[in-house]
Amino acid sequence: GGVYFIDGGSSTQENAAQYLVIPYLKYHGIQKIDALFLSHPHLDHMSIFLDLLEHSKIVSFFPSEIGGS
């Protein structure tokens, strides 16, 4: 098993990583994310990624080949 994120963001919750995701990861002792997958580059799909990069070791990142609009 591993830890994987497919998209990560919110269009309604500011600081979703700081208040929701990172506390969850800390509570469960997760310090490494095996892979981040981004379906497309819209803020509601990627707003937590920068915070995760600062908090956790990210092993692999798979960006979308689809451009944002």
Side-chain angles (χ1 to χ4, degrees):
V3 177
Y4 303 93
F5 274 79
I6 302 173
D7 289 341
S10 175
S11 60
T12 59
Q13 174 71 43
E14 288 188 34
N15 302 314
Q18 181 181 358
Y19 295 114
L20 300 171
V21 178
I22 292 171
Y24 177 89
L25 295 174
K26 284 182 178 181
Y27 179 81
H28 290 284
I30 298 169
Q31 297 177 346
K32 177 183 83 165
I33 296 171
D34 296 293
L36 295 176
F37 297 88
L38 179 61
S39 66
H40 60 280
H42 288 169
L43 191 57
D44 63 331
H45 288 257
M46 60 186 225
S47 64
I48 70 167
F49 283 1
L50 289 178
D51 290 330
L52 286 178
L53 288 169
E54 292 177 6
H55 171 266
S56 304
K57 177 182 178 189
I58 309 298
V59 176
S60 299
F61 175 63
F62 298 92
S64 171
E65 294 184 9
I66 300 170
S69 58

